[in-house]
Amino acid sequence: MIPRYAVSTGSTATRDERGGAVAFAGYAAVFDIVDRAGDVVRRGAFSGAGVVPLLWQHRGIAVGVLSVVAEDARGLRVEGVVADLELARLVRGGAVAGLSVGYRATSVRQGVRRELLAVELVEVSLVAVPMQALARLEVLRHPDESQDPEP
């Protein structure tokens, strides 16, 4: 049996004692939640978004790859692998659990809050402190393990 531990979201994730790369899934943005800048992403904002680079703190070269970038009912769901060994260790240990999006707004509605209606997704980043509190990793596993962690 694979030992389990709770990441900062309170969800259960697989602990991988082997080290190396780590696969993950989570939400890079959640719809209808005000972020720390006062922006709100609306459903459909990422319509047509494809796979983009995975960065660390919105800077530098890619630290891994994304295999899935898609909207669902909750937000922008992403899946990928963190290949940078030091960052993978921090992700596995729960020290880095935030996700964030880099984008160019193409359609906004300004009211009390700036509503992002359509954006051009440029990158997704692993971050120490996400702009949107619910933008977090939810599932971790070794890249060689099956997609569905044990219950």
Side-chain angles (χ1 to χ4, degrees):
M1 174 144 181
I2 300 169
R4 306 249 181 201
Y5 72 105
V7 294
S8 63
T9 59
S11 63
T12 303
T14 303
R15 176 179 229 147
D16 181 357
E17 301 296 335
R18 294 174 282 187
V22 64
F24 70 92
Y27 284 89
V30 179
F31 299 135
D32 306 323
I33 302 293
V34 178
D35 70 18
R36 291 182 302 153
D39 291 343
V40 178
V41 177
R42 297 296 185 203
R43 191 172 328 273
F46 297 100
S47 180
V51 173
V52 294
L54 177 66
L55 305 180
W56 166 238
Q57 299 282 101
H58 301 288
R59 293 186 212 105
I61 61 171
V63 295
V65 295
L66 296 173
S67 57
V68 174
V69 176
E71 281 194 3
D72 65 14
R74 183 171 181 218
L76 184 66
R77 178 121 174 118
V78 297
E79 296 178 20
V81 174
V82 181
D84 178 276
L85 297 181
E86 181 59 22
L87 187 54
R89 184 184 67 76
L90 293 171
V91 168
R92 257 193 317 282
V96 173
L99 288 167
S100 185
V101 291
Y103 62 89
R104 290 181 194 92
T106 57
S107 178
V108 299
R109 179 172 42 222
Q110 188 64 53
V112 174
R113 304 270 184 225
R114 183 172 86 142
E115 298 177 60
L116 301 170
L117 305 176
V119 301
E120 176 189 347
L121 185 64
V122 176
E123 52 89 5
V124 171
S125 281
L126 292 160
V127 295
V129 180
M131 184 65 76
Q132 197 178 59
L134 298 177
R136 298 281 180 171
L137 299 173
E138 294 183 337
V139 176
L140 304 175
R141 66 185 184 286
H142 189 276
D144 297 333
E145 293 174 7
S146 70
Q147 291 287 88
D148 299 318
E150 294 177 30

